[in-house]
Amino acid sequence: MAKRKPKSEGEMTWKDLEIGAIVTEPGNASWYKTGDWRSQRPTYDFKKCIKCALCQIFCPEGCILQNDDGYFEADMYYCKGCGICARECPTGVVTMVEEEE
Amino acid sequence: MAERVGIEVSVAIGDAARLANVDVIAAYPITPQTHIVEHLAELVANGELDAAYIPVESEHSAMSACLGSAAAGARTFTATAGQGLELMHEVLYVASSMRFPVVMTVANRALSSPLSVWGDHSDVMAVRDTGWIQIFTENGQEVVDHVFCAFRIAEDNKVLLPVMIHLDGFHLSHVIEPITFPEQSKVDKFLPPNSYPLPLHPDRPVTMGDFAPPIIYPEAKWAQEVNLRASKETILKCWQEFADIFGHRYSPVESYHGEKAKTLLLTMGSFSETAMTAIDKMRGKGKDVGLVRLRLWRPFPFEEFRRAVAGAETLIVVDRALSFGGPGGPVCSEVKAALYGEAKKPKVVSFVAGIGGRDISPSDFETIVNKGIKISEKGSPNEFEIFGVRE
Ligand code: SF4
Ligand code: SF4
């Protein structure tokens, strides 16, 4: 599983920044919580799923992983709610619903 | 032994950069900076300076190449003037924001149009807020000394900021002056190798110039501001040590018969030397007048400046740039802002003079002082006076 940020940007002070705001941890883009932007979330009717992995291939965040039962499910830390998985799924597994406030 | 030679100031800057052991020079030639980079190109081509000289296609590229060089931890030098400095503009911010210790001499030049290759401070003032440390010099010796000081300040790990050394185009860049060059061993001792702490290296990958959403941008900018202000301490320490070793003393604000004078003139750059001649003449005639020269332009030396003018009744600021439609010369605006909160302060009079290379003679300075005193007594309907324009 990808690394999660130890301290969120909102908690960081100017003193926590490296000189010139240089980033010294390689690969820490995985800390970036793109799930923050979401206004809709994917829901699943796995009974219809044929495990074709098309949703995983099309997801622009690369955040769809196989769960313990082998179904393809979004990691909500990263899922930005774009709805592409719902559009591409050939069997209509995915339905986008509004995020509650 | 230190060597004293008669030499063109631009060429002397190249020699100073050689003594400072620069690793990379990326520059584009522009009048009146040309002789500086021409001489450096020659030194590299002749094998007298072991450095990479990157001939680029524009000043924007010159500064961009400097960023890459500084990011790799190389001692990086460049020079420009006028339009060239303006073409660099956006990259100047990147250099200071990314905290790269680049050193640049700027042969100050007027801005187009009409086209003028001659000297004034329009180029400096347009890059005032780019976050660089900025130092004005008055003669060739000061420029040479500041090539060493600038690298020492810029590369200090407490500072890590780029430094601009301002010298007046032609009036200073193209004159031949007697200049003392220190011995290599002394320069090496004063200026240890660049120790930039996070140089690009495959073993230690970093991301420079990253994206910053609103949640972190103000923190990044505040860190930069705190750091630029704090750099004054290192600048003062560097000048002190330089004086101890090389005997030349520098301060953020320098006074010439200014301590007790009723009327003060404020200048920056090479025409401060002309102003000193004028002050001598006027004091000879019994006039109670002195001179204050602003050396450190950024970070602005608020305390030193307020102390230097505290006793005066009138302060006449002579700018070499216009702030169109504004309250006066750009330096004068800052001076007024610095004094606004003071209980006791001199009356400030703003003059703009010597733009586009127009000469200002000692007798012109006398006229400016006399006019300035009159304005401070009787007032003026104008925000500022432009000196010597035919009306
Ligand atoms: S909505 Fe679907 S495609 Fe879009 S980010 Fe979330 S999981 Fe990926
Ligand atoms: S695209 Fe639809 S059917 Fe294919 S794996 Fe994803 S959810 Fe299952």
Side-chain angles (χ1 to χ4, degrees), chain A residues 8-15 17-26 28 32, chain B residues 97-99 160 196-198 205-208 210-211 215-216 219-220 222-223 226:
Chain A
S8 81
E9 286 100 340
E11 291 162 339
M12 286 174 85
T13 75
W14 63 272
K15 288 179 192 154
L17 291 168
E18 194 49 87
I19 54 152
I22 289 172
V23 178
T24 50
E25 305 86 1
N28 79 351
Y32 190 29
Chain B
S97 307
M98 285 166 75
R99 308 270 304 272
L160 293 172
Y196 181 70
L198 291 168
V206 295
T207 304
M208 290 172 167
D210 197 11
F211 167 85
I215 198 161
I216 200 70
E219 281 70 24
W222 184 243
V226 169

Side-chain angles (χ1 to χ4, degrees), chain A residues 25-41:
Chain A
E25 305 86 1
N28 79 351
S30 65
W31 295 357
Y32 190 29
K33 194 177 179 184
T34 44
D36 263 2
W37 312 349
R38 204 171 49 238
S39 61
Q40 290 190 329
R41 61 162 59 229

